[in-house]
Amino acid sequence: AQSVSQHNHHVILSEAASLELGCNYSYGGTVNLFWYVQYPGQHLQLLLKYFSGDPLVKGIKGFEAEFIKSKFSFNLRKPSVQWSDTAEYFCAVTVGFQKLVFGTGTRLLVSP
Amino acid sequence: SAVISQKPSRDICQRGTSLTIQCQVDSQVTMMFWYRQQPGQSLTLIATANQGSEATYESGFVIDKFPISRPNLTFSTLTVSNMSPEDSSIYLCSVLIVGTGGFNEQFFGPGTRLTVL
């Protein structure tokens, strides 16, 4: 079965540190890839997405992700995190017809 | 994008009872989904709510436990039946919107936090 793996369950960083969250998927076909963010007490929001084209995707709030097909990866990055980036981050992949498969999520805590 | 609302936002229920969660979208959408997010876990798709026909359930979820209605293109309900503490979760409604370039995106409602005692 298709699956999405997020290697880091909890990440703690200081403000201005760089961030990279890993995401790997197991599916050999054409994929659409997403990162969602859930801020404390808020609902799930789309951070960025990849459908095709340039494998380096830029999203909101300075986040970017790189699709590396050979590694089945779609890692999320931000050069300098802020306290307001404290949230839970979910990687997701569409499988078949718009069915989203989510990773287990990574809780990011940014200390001021 | 789409504005999605859910009712109730949270509830505390007794085991053996049922709760119906409502999802309202501000525009007509073809596809609506129901997800569950159990404590400390990721989102799991329960079913696809089909307008005018029976919902399509994922493996491990059945209609008797999670009956779904989809009377029109802007509204759906999910019922959690005969609840047990294991049903304590956040239940989320999601809709599929055709984005730029014809690519589809899913947007999520605020969720319903259910606690079963």
Side-chain angles (χ1 to χ4, degrees):
Chain A
Q2 294 82 8
S3 65
V4 179
S5 299
Q6 291 182 241
H7 316 297
N8 314 101
H9 298 294
H10 292 90
V11 174
I12 301 174
L13 295 172
S14 299
E15 274 194 316
S18 64
L19 169 73
E20 180 160 2
L21 301 182
C23 172
N24 287 90
Y25 61 93
S26 63
Y27 183 64
T30 302
V31 293
N32 295 329
L33 298 152
F34 305 83
W35 276 96
Y36 284 85
V37 60
Q38 190 170 30
Y39 297 103
Q42 297 188 29
H43 62 276
L44 214 58
Q45 302 172 39
L46 182 65
L47 199 56
L48 49 77
K49 60 185 184 289
Y50 171 80
F51 291 123
S52 64
D54 189 345
L56 185 61
V57 180
K58 295 192 183 298
I60 60 172
K61 303 185 180 183
F63 285 91
E64 64 179 31
E66 185 175 11
F67 170 52
I68 302 179
K69 189 174 181 180
S70 61
K71 295 184 178 180
F72 298 88
S73 70
F74 190 56
N75 292 354
L76 181 71
R77 299 195 292 250
K78 186 170 184 178
S80 176
V81 295
Q82 301 172 313
W83 175 79
S84 58
D85 293 324
T86 293
E88 187 157 17
Y89 293 82
F90 295 93
C91 182
V93 176
T94 53
V95 177
F97 184 57
Q98 286 91 29
K99 174 184 172 180
L100 267 176
V101 177
F102 282 87
T104 51
T106 298
R107 288 184 184 270
L108 172 64
L109 175 62
V110 180
S111 57
Chain B
S1 64
V3 177
I4 305 168
S5 60
Q6 287 186 230
K7 290 182 182 178
S9 58
R10 57 179 63 226
D11 206 342
I12 301 173
C13 301
Q14 297 296 321
R15 70 170 67 208
T17 63
S18 298
L19 175 72
T20 295
I21 302 167
Q22 299 180 3
C23 175
Q24 180 74 54
V25 190
D26 68 342
S27 59
Q28 292 186 338
V29 294
T30 304
M31 299 189 74
M32 295 178 74
F33 307 90
W34 286 99
Y35 287 82
R36 180 174 73 181
Q37 186 178 16
Q38 292 179 298
Q41 298 188 31
S42 187
L43 286 80
T44 302
L45 180 63
I46 297 172
T48 302
N50 302 309
Q51 196 269 328
S53 63
E54 196 170 279
T56 304
Y57 290 84
E58 297 299 307
S59 175
F61 298 96
V62 295
I63 187 171
D64 290 345
K65 176 66 176 177
F66 297 102
I68 288 170
S69 78
R70 179 88 193 272
N72 56 53
L73 293 177
T74 64
F75 186 79
S76 178
T77 67
L78 169 75
T79 299
V80 186
S81 303
N82 188 25
M83 289 183 285
S84 66
E86 291 71 35
D87 294 321
S88 297
S89 289
I90 298 173
Y91 291 86
L92 298 108
C93 172
S94 169
V95 302
L96 190 69
I97 301 290
V98 177
T100 55
F103 298 111
N104 299 329
E105 297 182 29
Q106 280 197 26
F107 295 89
F108 289 82
T112 296
R113 185 180 293 273
L114 170 63
T115 302
V116 184
L117 304 177

